[in-house]
Amino acid sequence: MISPNISNWNLKGKGKDLLWNGCSLTDLAKEYETPLYVINKMRLQQSYKDLLYAFINENLNAEIFFSFKTNPIPAVLKSLVEIGSGAEIISEYELWLAQKLGVENSKIIITGSAKSESMLRTAVEINVRMISIDNYEELLILLKTAKQLNKSVDVTLRINPAIRKRMFDLTSETGTKTCPMGFIHNSSEWRNALDLLRKNSYLNLLGLHFHIGSGITNSSPYKIALKKILKIWQELTAEGFSPKVLDIGGGFNIPTLKTFNLLEVYRLYAGNRRQGLSSAKHKNQIVDIARYYGKKLIEFSLKHGIALPEIFLEPGRFISASSQILLLKVLSVQNRGKSKDFLFCDGGAMSLSPLLLSEYHEIICINKSYNGKSRMYNILGNLPTPLDVVGKNRVLPIISPGDILAVMDTGAYFTSLGNNFAGPRPAIVTVENGQAQLIRRRESFDDLIVRDLKS
């Protein structure tokens, strides 16, 4: 049996136990019970720095606005804000949370394809850094709001770069022409938006924006998008606009996590064929993208005699995914054949996060040695449905009830998509320099009905 490469997550072995930033995962499971989310603050902040300096090292002026929707736990967000991160906001709740956490208004950007008038009004009132405009109707609403408040607003126009669809792969779907998000270059809506910006002093075109997907495993879509954006940038300068900011969105993946494409989903669930990380070719994705952008943008700036665009980044998964682990307890083991057993745990895709159905996450038994016999398992949660999946066709040491499994890379969208299907949501702890801190208590049964009105 091949042991997992625990150094991928800065885990350290201590006998049969695993330590994360000096804390025993087995002890955490005992003290706080399972299911339990564990967050490594040091790893979270290091991922932020890795991304930022990948672009700075290519002589680009880059700024990060962490995607609040990816992991909206206040302690997570605060850990990033305190080292300089801004906030990428898509909802009124997130805007409220950013203000409550003390994020400077100049470090807030508003994105999304369906912004409420009340959110736009608040954003204008507090002078956020910029608002990304997704369509012409939204621009009209913002103009009306700006006039009412007698304030000028910096905006970016979101461009749909019309990237070619890739068969079975939906990771860059939001950058394809069939996606309704963003302006299509040279469409009537695009020309109308430029005319409106040209005629009104309340709206200032700060730059261009694109966001092409999530969990993208290679650099190619970002390179294609940049080529198309630079042509539009050149047209804008020729028409008298002075764009300064290029917001390239997020969607960057990490090497230890993979979103299944449609063919892989079919093979896994219909064909029961084992899937892994073999097709993930993105170990140096960020370095490659940053190097390409640095080269092309500097060349573009010198050739056309314009200022080097400032880069805005809206990452989520790249920063937070690998900084969070989900601990589950095995409740029972069932044998259904010679080659494979079934494990039933105290949480799964239906009770914790549906992403367990569509992503590959490494699963490690934290209290067993990998030097002995092994077995292939299908791992399920505690709900009476085969869709309550944790992982399929996973080779682990011989498992017994009471053993603890660690589901890796759960820091992106797991807490966002958490639900109360059949029970309370898990507690969350942080680990730092050998000390654990409870940052969100486990929900109680009373919590689940506290908002219900008494008859």
Side-chain angles (χ1 to χ4, degrees), residues 108-141:
I108 297 173
I109 62 175
I110 307 294
T111 69
S113 55
K115 308 174 189 70
S116 67
E117 287 193 45
S118 57
M119 181 171 75
L120 289 175
R121 175 171 287 273
T122 301
V124 174
E125 286 175 339
I126 67 174
N127 297 313
V128 299
R129 182 70 165 275
M130 70 87 172
I131 300 174
S132 173
I133 300 299
D134 211 75
N135 55 68
Y136 182 66
E137 290 300 321
E138 191 171 78
L139 194 63
L140 290 174
I141 295 171

Side-chain angles (χ1 to χ4, degrees), residues 275-296:
Q275 301 297 316
L277 290 169
S278 59
S279 63
K281 303 174 181 178
H282 53 288
K283 186 175 182 180
N284 299 310
Q285 180 198 33
I286 290 299
V287 173
D288 185 37
I289 292 171
R291 186 173 295 143
Y292 182 87
Y293 272 57
K295 180 177 183 293
K296 293 299 180 180

Side-chain angles (χ1 to χ4, degrees), residues 3-118:
S3 299
N5 185 359
I6 60 175
S7 64
N8 284 335
W9 300 274
N10 302 122
L11 287 163
K12 294 182 179 179
K14 186 180 180 181
K16 294 181 181 179
D17 196 8
L18 290 178
L19 304 182
W20 211 25
N21 210 339
C23 292
S24 161
L25 293 181
T26 302
D27 289 348
L28 291 176
K30 290 178 180 177
E31 181 176 357
Y32 297 101
E33 301 182 337
T34 56
L36 177 70
Y37 286 115
V38 183
I39 296 171
N40 187 326
K41 180 179 176 181
M42 183 180 298
R43 188 172 177 88
L44 176 74
Q45 293 182 334
Q46 186 59 53
S47 296
Y48 169 91
K49 294 172 184 176
D50 289 345
L51 178 60
L52 181 63
Y53 283 98
F55 284 84
I56 289 177
N57 290 341
E58 299 301 327
N59 298 309
L60 294 172
N61 182 10
E63 192 167 351
I64 289 177
F65 300 83
F66 180 72
S67 164
F68 266 39
K69 63 183 177 292
T70 306
N71 195 326
I73 304 303
V76 169
L77 302 174
K78 194 170 183 179
S79 295
L80 294 171
V81 170
E82 67 187 22
I83 60 172
S85 178
E88 184 250 339
I89 301 299
I90 64 163
S91 70
E92 290 185 75
Y93 165 69
E94 291 178 4
L95 184 54
W96 172 86
L97 183 58
Q99 292 180 283
K100 194 170 184 65
L101 292 173
V103 181
E104 296 177 14
N105 296 336
S106 62
K107 300 280 285 184
I108 297 173
I109 62 175
I110 307 294
T111 69
S113 55
K115 308 174 189 70
S116 67
E117 287 193 45
S118 57

Side-chain angles (χ1 to χ4, degrees), residues 287-354:
V287 173
D288 185 37
I289 292 171
R291 186 173 295 143
Y292 182 87
Y293 272 57
K295 180 177 183 293
K296 293 299 180 180
L297 288 173
I298 290 172
E299 288 177 355
F300 180 80
S301 175
L302 293 174
K303 179 179 179 180
H304 297 285
I306 59 175
L308 186 65
E310 181 180 355
I311 299 296
F312 281 9
L313 301 156
E314 305 167 9
R317 183 186 307 262
F318 181 88
I319 290 178
S320 63
S322 68
S323 67
Q324 184 169 303
I325 292 173
L326 170 63
L327 298 182
L328 299 172
K329 181 187 291 183
V330 176
L331 302 178
S332 63
V333 181
Q334 289 190 17
N335 181 272
R336 287 294 179 88
K338 295 182 179 180
S339 61
K340 189 185 303 180
D341 288 346
F342 288 80
L343 305 180
F344 290 87
C345 302
D346 51 5
M350 303 303 289
S351 58
L352 291 172
S353 173

